Amino acid sequence: MRTAGVCPNHFTFSAVLPACASTSILVHGQQMHCLISKHGYEGYVFVGSALVDMYAKCHDMGLAEKVFVALPERNIVSWNSMIVGCLLNSFHVKALFLFKEVIREDLFSPNQVSFSTVLSASANIGALEFGKQVHGIVVKQGLLTLPYVKNSLMDMYFKCGLFDEGALLFNSLGIENRDVIAWNVMSMGCVYNENFEEACNYLWVMKRAGITPDEASYSTALHASAHLAALDQGTLIHNQTIKSGFSTNSCIATSLITMYAKCGSLDDACRVFEEIDNPNVVCWTALIAACQQHGNGNHVIKLFEKMLADGLKPHYITFVCVISACSHTGRVEEGHAYFNSMEKVHGIIPGHEHYACMVDLLGRSGQLDEARKFIAQMPIKPNASVWGALLGACAKYGNLEIGSEVAGRLFELEPDNPGNYILLANMYAHKGKLREADHVRRLMGINRVRKEPGCSWIDVKNKSIAFTVHGKLHARTDEIYEMLKKVKELVTNKGYVPQTQFAVNSAEELKEESLWYHSEKIALAFGLLALPAGAPIRIKKNLRTCGDCHTVMKFASEIWKREIIVRDLNRFHHFRNGLCSCRDYW
């Protein structure tokens, strides 16, 4: 800092502090702070503002606020440093409070940094009314034309669920004024509001408008493709990332892994990972999550151990995937060991997701009493996901005593979730307690809870075709049902026995027949008709696939010598040669 007797002045410190902030190394910033105090520059507004910014970016908001409060005078840069710091460290309510103070003091006007930051904070906590008030001030001060502010306003409306208001702001920008950030905010707005097809389309519209997509553009489009399970669309976007030189970008590579995994192509997800130089923990977690979702629990454990051996520190989501993988492969002791290592070894405090996975781990292995004891000993209050895991286990093992108690808790926590009512009603029905089952179904009617009808999709020639239970709207309905008869005949010859417990809503004499009208079976019949011989059949289902359909898929994969991939509400099932990737433990 000092050479040949030259003494640094306050301008020097103001220039050097941002470098400390950019490295986020707190100790360097503290050393600089000591020098500043020694030379008496702590009270200079620009030096003080830079110190606030440095501490905020080093994630020490306590010291940032201490410096801020001690400033003898403050300007808009000082206030912005604190507001931006609160946003960076997720103190969103505090950011809103500080902005109000700026407005209240009325000594200087907020600038585009102030407005953009407070709008982002409002968006992150869904503070719509506050955001609308800020919008009014923006208009009053004539700052609405600034792209920085307008993009933040769009983002705020999208995240608060007002898609039309955000889209209106986007459309008010002339085509010539839409930069890549504006396009990205619009695309993400579509994702937030589940307009996934539109989100994908905006990538191509942006390119036609002469805008070069960036990392965020491709990641958003891949995210939307993943939600749609649109493999062809995702592959096209992948091709664009290669042409644009983004294929080695770790953020985009992570999005590609997730996209391929959610589209049912685990092999492609693995290939993307293998091409990454020095994958970070986010890349590793994406692949671990992909393998877990596809029922490849053994590979999840191998990947996790390899990641640890490479010196990478797992994060919160990594452990959710690993413990879930243990649950789906019956690794009870290993699951306990990984759970216990979270806080002891890695300093990660378990959350509801981890506790739910542990309850699921115990429940799937039939240890229902242990699962209930585990919940009773939780240091945090169990939420619906934790109780839901136990209810699912009770349904699997037919434990009405614990199941009815747990269902009662869930009816209070999430009264609008039809799955809890249906599980309990089915448990009663399987035990022959039809009166109690009818009572639970009547309770659904009283609470105005409706079961979502089963629906399955299959992609043929770049078109997604939907089938519902007993669906007969397709132009090839007669052929489909003829194929369905053929499937039934062939699987029966192979030893298929109907599992009528999965047709509890039908009259006893119609139960076996009704099983053959499940949407995924109809989609399978259509796939056998419409797809080339030997081509994989990819089916998506909005609900959990039933045990009878699972059995039929196994037989069909063996009879027709082709891979059948079913993505249901929870996971993927890969059927090959009469076997499923889940090994019937699901």
Side-chain angles (χ1 to χ4, degrees):
M1 175 61 71
R2 298 183 62 181
T3 57
V6 176
C7 181
N9 59 23
H10 61 287
F11 293 113
T12 310
F13 286 116
S14 297
V16 171
L17 280 168
C20 297
S22 67
T23 60
S24 297
I25 300 175
L26 183 59
V27 65
H28 293 170
Q30 288 175 321
Q31 289 170 355
M32 199 63 63
H33 192 173
C34 290
L35 281 171
I36 288 166
S37 299
K38 181 179 178 181
H39 290 283
Y41 294 131
E42 204 169 15
Y44 283 68
V45 66
F46 286 107
V47 176
S49 301
L51 274 171
V52 171
D53 180 66
M54 181 273 296
Y55 280 124
K57 286 177 179 172
C58 290
H59 306 294
D60 193 330
M61 284 305 295
L63 286 175
E65 187 165 19
K66 190 175 179 181
V67 172
F68 177 76
V69 170
L71 284 172
E73 66 169 306
R74 301 170 193 150
N75 59 13
I76 191 60
V77 177
S78 317
W79 284 97
N80 283 348
S81 296
M82 269 302 288
I83 296 170
V84 171
C86 288
L87 177 68
L88 289 174
N89 291 278
S90 299
F91 296 127
H92 304 304
V93 174
K94 179 77 171 177
L96 270 56
F97 172 78
L98 290 169
F99 181 82
K100 288 178 186 176
E101 289 295 302
V102 173
I103 298 295
R104 191 177 294 119
E105 285 201 8
D106 202 27
L107 296 175
F108 28 72
S109 296
N111 59 17
Q112 61 176 327
V113 175
S114 320
F115 284 116
S116 178
T117 306
V118 78
L119 284 166
S120 295
S122 301
N124 289 338
I125 58 173
L128 177 60
E129 291 307 314
F130 188 88
K132 284 181 175 180
Q133 291 171 10
V134 175
H135 188 174
I137 300 170
V138 166
V139 172
K140 186 178 178 181
Q141 296 198 7
L143 299 177
L144 191 58
T145 56
L146 295 175
Y148 200 46
V149 176
K150 204 162 200 175
N151 291 340
S152 298
L153 269 171
M154 285 162 50
D155 184 59
M156 184 274 295
Y157 281 120
F158 288 140
K159 285 182 178 174
C160 290
L162 295 185
F163 180 80
D164 291 341
E165 283 77 357
L168 191 65
L169 284 167
F170 178 77
N171 293 329
S172 69
L173 288 166
I175 292 179
E176 66 284 356
N177 294 322
R178 294 175 187 167
D179 60 8
V180 68
I181 297 172
W183 284 98
N184 290 345
V185 171
M186 185 66 219
S187 298
M188 277 306 300
C190 293
V191 171
Y192 294 141
N193 292 273
E194 300 186 357
N195 299 326
F196 301 117
E197 288 187 18
E198 271 194 71
C200 289
N201 289 337
Y202 271 112
L203 177 69
W204 310 113
V205 176
M206 180 196 313
K207 285 176 68 69
R208 286 197 295 272
I211 302 295
T212 302
D214 62 8
E215 173 187 304
S217 314
Y218 287 118
S219 291
T220 303
L222 288 166
H223 185 68
S225 299
H227 272 280
L228 293 168
L231 182 59
D232 292 337
Q233 178 76 255
T235 304
L236 285 173
I237 297 166
H238 189 179
N239 291 339
Q240 287 297 315
T241 65
I242 294 170
K243 290 177 182 177
S244 305
F246 281 106
S247 58
T248 57
N249 180 289
S250 61
C251 178
I252 289 177
T254 302
S255 298
L256 282 166
I257 292 167
T258 303
M259 181 276 294
Y260 278 121
K262 289 192 173 181
C263 290
S265 186
L266 183 60
D267 289 343
D268 285 320
C270 292
R271 271 192 287 272
V272 170
F273 180 81
E274 287 164 5
E275 292 171 2
I276 304 171
D277 293 327
N278 300 316
N280 59 24
V281 66
V282 181
C283 299
W284 278 97
T285 299
L287 185 62
I288 287 170
C291 292
Q292 183 271 325
Q293 194 177 27
H294 283 260
N296 200 338
N298 294 330
H299 197 47
V300 167
I301 305 303
K302 288 179 183 176
L303 286 169
F304 182 68
E305 293 296 341
K306 176 71 167 62
M307 187 187 83
L308 293 180
D310 285 358
L312 289 167
K313 182 179 172 63
H315 58 43
Y316 189 95
I317 299 299
T318 318
F319 276 105
V320 174
C321 300
V322 170
I323 300 170
S324 179
C326 291
S327 172
H328 284 86
T329 51
R331 297 167 178 259
V332 179
E333 289 184 11
E334 285 177 80
H336 269 289
Y338 286 128
F339 179 81
N340 292 332
S341 75
M342 284 182 65
E343 195 166 2
K344 291 178 182 176
V345 179
H346 303 284
I348 299 171
I349 298 172
H352 283 110
E353 297 93 336
H354 305 104
Y355 284 104
C357 288
M358 285 300 296
V359 172
D360 189 57
L361 174 79
L362 294 166
R364 282 179 189 275
S365 62
Q367 301 179 52
L368 301 181
D369 289 327
E370 288 78 1
R372 186 160 60 171
K373 289 175 187 174
F374 181 84
I375 293 174
Q377 294 168 1
M378 283 174 57
I380 56 177
K381 187 176 181 180
N383 66 1
S385 67
V386 175
W387 290 115
L390 183 54
L391 181 61
C394 291
K396 179 178 179 178
Y397 288 98
N399 191 317
L400 257 178
E401 181 186 349
I402 299 177
S404 56
E405 176 199 333
V406 172
R409 292 179 182 273
L410 284 165
F411 293 160
E412 293 177 7
L413 287 171
E414 42 180 21
D416 298 327
N417 185 347
N420 300 324
Y421 295 91
I422 292 162
L423 275 178
L424 182 60
N426 290 351
M427 287 170 68
Y428 278 126
H430 293 161
K431 292 287 186 180
K433 298 189 174 186
L434 301 182
R435 183 180 297 175
E436 288 86 346
D438 288 339
H439 172 72
V440 175
R441 293 194 185 98
R442 282 198 301 273
L443 190 62
M444 285 181 71
I446 292 167
N447 294 336
R448 297 182 179 180
V449 179
R450 295 185 64 184
K451 179 192 173 189
E452 186 179 2
C455 187
S456 295
W457 292 262
I458 184 168
D459 292 333
V460 176
K461 295 180 180 178
N462 295 329
K463 286 186 178 179
S464 194
I465 299 151
F467 294 96
T468 55
V469 178
H470 290 267
K472 294 187 176 181
L473 296 177
H474 196 274
R476 299 179 68 180
T477 292
D478 291 341
E479 293 176 77
I480 292 168
Y481 279 86
E482 279 301 315
M483 176 57 78
L484 208 53
K485 286 181 184 176
K486 183 178 179 181
V487 173
K488 182 179 180 181
E489 179 185 337
L490 291 174
V491 299
T492 301
N493 291 340
K494 277 281 188 180
Y496 160 76
V497 177
Q499 299 172 60
T500 54
Q501 68 268 31
F502 296 107
V504 292
N505 289 329
S506 301
E508 196 62 41
E509 63 275 11
L510 299 175
K511 282 187 174 184
E512 183 177 336
E513 183 183 350
S514 71
L515 286 172
W516 283 94
Y517 297 127
H518 285 191
S519 62
E520 57 265 60
K521 288 193 182 89
I522 300 172
L524 169 66
F526 179 70
L528 291 168
L529 280 171
L531 291 168
I537 297 174
R538 302 176 190 275
I539 297 168
K540 296 164 276 187
K541 173 120 191 242
N542 64 333
L543 305 174
R544 188 174 184 266
T545 193
C546 82
D548 190 76
C549 289
H550 190 267
T551 300
V552 168
M553 296 294 172
K554 287 197 296 182
F555 279 119
S557 71
E558 183 181 13
I559 293 165
W560 273 273
K561 307 293 182 191
R562 62 203 297 175
E563 183 180 14
I564 301 168
I565 304 161
V566 177
R567 172 188 174 181
D568 71 6
L569 186 64
N570 296 328
R571 61 184 299 169
F572 281 91
H573 296 268
H574 292 256
F575 301 93
R576 296 185 185 98
N577 302 317
L579 300 173
C580 179
S581 58
C582 73
R583 301 175 183 176
D584 298 337
Y585 193 88
W586 56 290

